[in-house]
Amino acid sequence: MNGGPWSVYLLRCGDGTLYCGIALDVQARLEAHGAGKGAKYTRGRGPLELAYSEVCGSKGEALRREQAIKAMPRPSKLALIAGDANVRTRGGSFHREERKERKGEAQK
């Protein structure tokens, strides 16, 4: 198996930009980024700070969530980091759990 649940994470780079990725071990991945062994984007943009992480389960779920976060405008990403539960993905769609709740309410 793959060793555990996958997570999606957001890093705040030293230049103020945000980087989104997935990992099995977010802390180890942050260390790899900091050592210059992570994504090319983060090299030279230190110091790096873990701004947000979310456990997704499978790699496929993490990849889908990563793409949804990457599609968000910057203000929505900052709201996600701040813990705003009402953050919407691009196009105004809710996160999967919220869509399920709304679908259940609509069927009543």
Side-chain angles (χ1 to χ4, degrees), residues 26-98:
V26 174
Q27 195 58 42
R29 188 67 177 148
L30 176 59
E31 291 170 13
H33 283 296
K37 306 284 185 191
K40 190 181 280 188
Y41 181 84
T42 59
R43 292 182 202 150
R45 294 183 188 264
L48 303 172
E49 170 193 354
L50 181 62
Y52 176 80
S53 68
E54 176 181 320
V55 176
C56 296
S58 72
K59 184 176 183 180
E61 289 175 52
L63 286 167
R64 285 187 291 278
R65 182 69 174 134
E66 176 189 29
Q67 288 306 308
I69 291 172
K70 285 182 175 182
M72 289 176 169
R74 181 176 173 82
S76 294
K77 291 175 190 172
L78 294 174
L80 182 67
I81 291 167
D84 185 349
N86 295 317
V87 173
R88 295 173 182 235
T89 58
R90 190 176 194 175
S93 63
F94 285 98
H95 300 312
R96 184 174 33 150
E97 295 80 21
E98 294 166 335

